[in-house]
Amino acid sequence: MRYSLLSALAASAFVAAAEEPSYDYIVVGSGPGGGPLACDLARAGYSTLLIEAGGDEGENPTYADLANFNEAANDEATRWDFWVKHSDDPERELKFGHTTWDTGDGTFYVGTEPPEGAKHLGIQYPRAAVLGGCAMHNGAVCTLPQDEDWNIIVNKTGDKSWEADKMRRYFQKIEKNDYLPSGNAEHGYTGWLSTSTGDNSWAKNDSLPATRILKKIAELTGQDPAKATDLLNNDMLGAYENRDEMTSFFNMVSHGDKNGKRSSPNNYVRATLADPKKYPLTLQLHTLVTRVLFDTAGAVPKAIGVEVMEGASMYKADPKHVDGTKGPIKQILAKREVIVSGGAFNSPQILKLSGIGPAAELTKFNITVVKDLPGVGERLADNYEGSLLALGQVPIESGLITLLFRTPSAPTAKRNIFTWCAAFSFEGFWPGFPAYYGPNQYTCAMVHMSPKSQAGSVRLVSADPQDVPDINFRFYRDNGDDDLKELTEAANLLRQAWQAAGDPALPFEELHPCPAGTECTDAHQMEHFKLQAYSHHASSTCAIGADGDVMAVLDSKFRVRGVQGLRVVDASAFPVVPGAFPVLPTMIISTKAAEEIIADAKGAAAAL
């Protein structure tokens, strides 16, 4: 395995001398978008440089063992802290229960009554600076988007290669299914991404309170309670007819193997690096990309490389960053293309620092405008997430109850809520999360799919690439009452199901959204979800869009509009949030992007 530190280029990066080190492709970011893409390009024979701001924790059990995902997301070894806002209302922001403050003594205060002199930070949104990106610290849930989430790109661009039935073949290409017998035509068995499921045998025990909850949920959602145990083993990634309208229990799928080991782009990159004679992939760790370099001599600006700052913890989101620390600046050239895969926060930041973005914003920070693209950093979207949390009278022995369903006020026939219930607590992110409420804790966590508002933004605070941008999701700004009503309807159904737990579990002491002493009205719950919803599926800040859409950043082949030799491949490319969990969809589009790039390269070679 080779981790190379590249020598500095000559002062002028705009004409590549023969002796200067360069690559066919430079990929910025090793997460679900960039990591697999770099491997695919190298395996196709193209010299590829993969740049990652963090290090490699692939052999660290904190990251390698899926059971340790909470510890991984809290680990300062890889964590980048983005302190985000949920609205433009400062008073509303201070009502978020896990608002975080810097006490000034090296510790955080989390809550709404900070000590005197504490500095308000905001709402923690941790990202992973590590080989493999956020696929190394997440809960590893694998879901596919609704068909409409793919087809919207067809409708916007006319590119039929994005049709949902065609996109499934990319999933099949990368999957190494570990939970179904080989030969299932809906799945793949030879890819690099292991998928596995859990054991649901607990649900065969009718005496368990959780089994009674399971059967009550079945009754409330139009499923057969007598078959609930079998339904719990439905294939979450199956190609069911009318899948998106199908209310059902499922067995949650993880991107991990049957032994509980995480499967991620980290594994694929390592496997590709292991054969350097066959696959020309170079990995450069602990390197912060500061901007993309352009040749502006022609009629259309062309990306020809990147400028980087070398060294660990160069970005100020890194809790290990030391103020004033700067690494050496170097430039690296790309003979063919630069692909930015920094994620929904960092990809738009990199584009803007490079002169690609809203002209007024760039000019404000004296950044030379290469291409005025108003959509860069706009249309930030995310799933709304919330939970019901209660304490039983005894521990609630249970595995996961995983359910996708439609609430009564959903605007279409498609399901709109993904929920999973078990004896755990999850209430979002803050330093040291999650809270532990004792052995009797029980939660139904909810992800709201197809949110109706994507009014968020990622905007520069300076031209300094080490600075963290200003991130505001503007939750519920557009049609918010509709989304809040859907979340509340879901909560009411799940709360009703809890009452079937029986003795000795009942009565449940609810902690939220309706704690003891409150009147559990819909209005109360809507206000709770408005103030306390959280998220961790950011997308759409460099979105694919139609030719006539002034806010479109990319075309259907991931190419940045108005320039040459530059693409963005990560969750920022999706026009809408892809389903309930974006990690698998992002790995899917990474594979599609590689196919597009390789086809373009072969086409260019054939034209010579």
Side-chain angles (χ1 to χ4, degrees):
M1 193 174 299
R2 54 195 172 129
Y3 301 148
S4 69
L5 291 177
L6 305 179
S7 60
L9 298 182
S12 173
F14 298 98
V15 179
E19 66 272 20
E20 301 293 0
S22 63
Y23 300 83
D24 289 325
Y25 297 98
I26 296 174
V27 180
V28 180
S30 68
L37 171 60
C39 294
D40 287 347
L41 293 175
R43 286 170 181 257
Y46 298 99
S47 62
T48 304
L49 173 65
L50 177 60
I51 301 176
E52 169 56 49
D56 180 6
E57 300 289 341
E59 296 179 5
N60 182 341
T62 298
Y63 301 87
D65 296 343
L66 279 177
N68 297 330
F69 66 91
N70 282 335
E71 290 82 357
N74 276 294
D75 190 1
E76 284 195 358
T78 66
R79 197 184 77 227
W80 276 2
D81 289 332
F82 291 90
W83 304 105
V84 308
K85 296 187 283 288
H86 285 170
S87 75
D88 290 315
D89 181 354
E91 292 186 6
R92 172 178 157 183
E93 293 301 287
L94 296 178
K95 294 177 182 178
F96 185 75
H98 295 117
T99 296
T100 303
W101 309 72
D102 181 353
T103 63
D105 62 3
T107 64
F108 295 113
Y109 168 82
V110 179
T112 58
E113 299 180 0
E116 185 176 353
K119 177 185 176 183
H120 180 234
L121 296 173
I123 299 165
Q124 189 193 39
Y125 202 115
R127 303 281 83 184
V130 66
L131 181 63
C134 290
M136 291 296 287
H137 79 170
N138 65 355
V141 180
C142 280
T143 64
L144 292 167
Q146 298 180 130
D147 287 351
E148 182 59 28
D149 294 341
W150 296 127
N151 292 335
I152 191 174
I153 298 176
V154 181
N155 296 334
K156 285 177 176 290
T157 67
D159 186 343
K160 294 185 178 181
S161 71
W162 283 91
E163 290 175 344
D165 59 340
K166 295 174 182 176
M167 292 303 296
R168 189 172 184 93
R169 71 181 178 89
Y170 295 108
F171 160 63
Q172 293 168 320
K173 181 178 180 179
I174 68 175
E175 186 189 24
K176 183 180 180 182
N177 188 283
D178 208 10
Y179 64 92
L180 291 171
S182 61
N184 185 315
E186 298 174 2
H187 287 274
Y189 294 86
T190 60
W192 58 267
L193 185 73
S194 294
T195 58
S196 61
T197 56
D199 179 8
N200 284 324
S201 61
W202 63 270
K204 296 178 181 179
N205 186 345
D206 288 337
S207 68
L208 295 178
T211 305
R212 294 194 284 269
I213 292 173
L214 170 71
K215 292 186 175 184
K216 185 63 175 180
I217 292 176
E219 175 189 328
L220 294 172
T221 56
Q223 303 178 79
D224 185 349
K227 298 180 180 178
T229 300
D230 294 332
L231 294 172
L232 203 58
N233 286 310
N234 280 343
D235 180 12
M236 183 171 287
L237 302 179
Y240 299 98
E241 186 177 359
N242 298 320
R243 176 181 67 100
D244 297 339
E245 290 80 36
M246 177 183 175
T247 286
S248 180
F249 297 118
F250 293 93
N251 199 333
M252 187 177 285
V253 179
S254 299
H255 56 85
D257 65 22
K258 60 186 176 182
N259 297 314
K261 296 295 183 181
R262 184 181 294 274
S263 179
S264 80
N266 181 288
N267 305 91
Y268 194 26
V269 172
R270 282 170 162 260
T272 305
L273 289 169
D275 195 347
K277 292 183 178 179
K278 188 175 182 181
Y279 305 132
L281 177 65
T282 300
L283 172 65
Q284 182 163 341
L285 298 171
H286 298 302
T287 301
L288 179 70
V289 171
T290 60
R291 63 185 175 118
V292 177
L293 302 172
F294 289 93
D295 180 353
T296 58
V300 179
K302 177 177 173 55
I304 59 165
V306 295
E307 181 183 85
V308 302
M309 181 183 294
E310 293 182 346
S313 304
M314 289 295 107
Y315 195 52
K316 292 180 182 178
D318 190 325
K320 304 182 299 300
H321 176 77
V322 177
D323 287 346
T325 301
K326 295 183 180 295
I329 300 293
K330 299 183 179 181
Q331 294 177 336
I332 311 168
L333 301 185
K335 289 177 283 189
R336 293 182 178 271
E337 293 187 25
V338 174
I339 301 103
V340 177
S341 300
F345 298 158
N346 289 107
S347 284
Q349 181 181 19
I350 291 170
L351 291 190
K352 289 180 180 183
L353 292 170
S354 308
I356 309 291
E361 182 180 350
L362 305 186
T363 303
K364 175 182 176 181
F365 297 111
N366 297 315
I367 298 172
T368 300
V369 178
V370 174
K371 177 62 180 178
D372 178 15
L373 279 183
V376 175
E378 301 301 308
R379 291 179 169 176
L380 173 62
D382 212 328
N383 299 117
Y384 299 122
E385 299 183 56
S387 63
L388 283 80
L389 173 63
L391 303 179
Q393 297 301 305
V394 296
I396 312 299
E397 183 181 346
S398 172
L400 282 178
I401 299 174
T402 304
L403 172 75
L404 278 81
F405 68 108
R406 178 189 180 277
T407 62
S409 68
T412 70
K414 294 180 175 62
R415 56 199 183 188
N416 57 329
I417 299 293
F418 182 114
T419 187
W420 64 106
C421 306
F424 68 99
S425 74
F426 182 58
E427 305 163 279
F429 299 91
W430 64 90
F433 83 96
Y436 177 63
Y437 296 94
N440 297 0
Q441 63 186 12
Y442 193 79
T443 293
C444 287
M446 302 183 295
V447 173
H448 183 272
M449 297 184 287
S450 301
K452 299 168 190 62
S453 180
Q454 53 181 103
S457 62
V458 177
R459 295 172 182 165
L460 298 178
V461 298
S462 78
D464 184 346
Q466 293 181 284
D467 281 344
V468 181
D470 178 77
I471 301 166
N472 190 334
F473 284 90
R474 296 184 183 85
F475 275 4
Y476 305 111
R477 195 192 73 175
D478 301 327
N479 302 301
D481 286 348
D482 294 337
D483 286 338
L484 289 165
K485 184 176 181 180
E486 292 169 36
L487 282 165
T488 297
E489 289 173 342
N492 287 338
L493 182 146
L494 295 168
R495 183 182 296 104
Q496 184 178 350
W498 282 1
Q499 307 317 307
D503 293 333
L506 293 181
F508 275 5
E509 178 191 348
E510 187 169 334
L511 302 184
H512 62 69
C514 293
T518 62
E519 185 179 359
C520 195
T521 63
D522 286 358
H524 168 84
Q525 293 181 86
M526 289 174 69
E527 183 69 6
H528 169 85
F529 290 124
K530 178 179 179 179
L531 297 178
Q532 306 304 331
Y534 46 89
S535 64
H536 62 301
H537 302 154
S539 72
S540 309
T541 50
C542 298
I544 295 170
D547 289 345
D549 181 1
V550 69
M551 298 299 287
V553 177
L554 310 177
D555 68 10
S556 66
K557 298 183 183 297
F558 305 93
R559 296 176 296 206
V560 177
R561 292 179 177 275
V563 299
Q564 295 178 345
L566 180 62
R567 306 194 202 215
V568 176
V569 181
D570 56 31
S572 70
F574 291 108
V576 297
V577 186
F581 291 85
V583 62
L584 180 57
T586 303
M587 290 187 274
I588 288 171
I589 66 169
S590 177
T591 305
K592 178 176 174 57
E595 184 179 276
E596 300 280 8
I597 293 168
I598 292 167
D600 283 355
K602 290 180 177 179
L608 295 177

